[in-house]
Amino acid sequence: MIKVMTLILALVAFSAPAFAGSCPAMINQIDAALSAGKAKNAAEVKKLRDQGESLHRSGGHAASVQVLQEAMKLAGLTK
């Protein structure tokens, strides 16, 4: 059981940098869509974008990615 828990913790620890690296790129895509006026529901997209950036800065990268993906979906950047 201890081996399994150690493995799970190691996987989580090593996956955090992968999430962290994608947050700024997603924020940049959202910002570009907002600047170009392409984002539908711009106020909601901006709110989610800001929330995602805040989560990223506080170290909540997995949650940040989820929020930013929702913002991208609302902005029409993904399906």
Side-chain angles (χ1 to χ4, degrees), residues 9-73:
L9 288 174
L11 290 173
V12 169
F14 289 116
S15 67
F19 286 125
S22 63
C23 298
M26 295 171 79
I27 291 168
N28 288 338
Q29 288 179 348
I30 295 166
D31 287 345
L34 288 168
S35 294
K38 295 181 180 179
K40 302 171 186 171
N41 306 317
E44 182 66 21
V45 170
K46 175 82 169 107
K47 178 181 168 187
L48 289 170
R49 178 246 181 256
D50 292 344
Q51 181 183 1
E53 183 177 30
S54 177
L55 287 165
H56 170 73
R57 289 185 180 185
S58 68
H61 301 296
S64 174
V65 168
Q66 287 182 322
V67 170
L68 292 170
Q69 285 175 339
E70 183 62 29
M72 291 177 74
K73 189 181 293 185

